[in-house]
Amino acid sequence: MTTGKTLLALALSALLPASAAWAANNDTLVYCSEASPESFNPQIASSGPTFVASSQTLYNRLINFDPVKNTPIPSLATDWTISPDGLTYTFTLRQDVKFNSNKFFTPTRDFNADDVIFSVLRQKDSDHPYHKVSQGNYEYFNDVGLDKLIKSVKKIDDYHVQFVLSEPNSAFLADWGMDFASILSAEYADAMMKKGTPENVDNWPIGTGPYVLQQYKADSQIRYLANPNYWTARCRRST
């Protein structure tokens, strides 16, 4: 194996240049990355290899971007409204979205507003119990100004979250489609904090994305399995 390369066993060809990937068999794709991920939590990362290995593989965000028009389209949020003064954004969240399991934790509930609140406040609130976990440095969140722009975020009910901004900002909606805006499981975080192992949230991720982390060997190999409960597959079947 080439030194310094990380093999990603993925069936995720849309993310990969054709010259860098080859089919090992009918249902496996092998891809050579230029580096190992910094973490499996894109909130505390800043490198392309980390985003490919984590946010684009294991997680979802509130919105996606239309691949042709590059405009916001639904993802974990199915809809959103913006107040006339541009200060209040209310997101309607997708229902029946499941988090995957791992060797440390099996979720007991589906994705809901608590996960959005956790994913925002971990980055924004310096007093949040997870803010300093894994030496948290929320570079992208702060660089785009969300630490100051978000005046408050609250759960209206399980499937509605409301943000109030300190001033209107035309880029605010698009920010929620960026890698650092990946949504993590609040339930998993609570369980790991109680066990005294909060770093597991960043090292052994639980997400709602198309793949599940199976194995990781630093500077050598990452293996993923397809997520059997991936919500977009269910959406396609129902349309």
Side-chain angles (χ1 to χ4, degrees), residues 85-165:
D85 62 6
L87 294 178
T88 303
Y89 286 69
T90 304
F91 290 90
T92 300
L93 306 181
R94 190 177 300 276
Q95 300 188 34
D96 301 320
V97 174
K98 299 186 181 303
F99 284 96
N100 65 270
S101 302
N102 65 19
K103 61 184 179 181
F104 299 110
F105 184 71
T106 298
T108 65
R109 63 163 177 82
D110 292 346
F111 157 75
N112 68 26
D114 292 330
D115 305 305
V116 178
I117 300 297
F118 167 74
S119 300
V120 174
L121 291 184
R122 174 179 178 169
Q123 299 181 80
K124 174 178 169 55
D125 183 1
S126 60
D127 293 326
H128 191 278
Y130 263 86
H131 188 76
K132 295 183 175 69
V133 170
S134 302
Q135 300 178 338
N137 179 22
Y138 307 97
E139 181 177 338
Y140 272 86
F141 185 90
N142 295 333
D143 282 354
V144 300
L146 291 179
D147 55 330
K148 297 179 176 62
L149 181 63
I150 298 173
K151 188 175 180 179
S152 66
V153 56
K154 69 177 182 179
K155 172 183 176 179
I156 298 175
D157 58 38
D158 279 351
Y159 293 101
H160 291 88
V161 173
Q162 186 175 86
F163 291 83
V164 176
L165 309 187

Side-chain angles (χ1 to χ4, degrees), residues 199-219:
E199 296 84 2
N200 284 347
V201 170
D202 304 325
N203 298 328
W204 287 98
I206 282 179
T208 60
Y211 293 90
V212 177
L213 181 65
Q214 181 190 40
Q215 183 184 41
Y216 174 55
K217 296 179 181 179
D219 297 321

Side-chain angles (χ1 to χ4, degrees), residues 57-79:
T57 313
L58 302 169
Y59 299 103
N60 296 114
R61 287 144 295 284
L62 291 179
I63 68 163
N64 279 333
F65 295 102
D66 185 286
V68 176
K69 299 178 181 178
N70 201 33
T71 53
I73 57 175
S75 182
L76 289 179
T78 59
D79 196 9

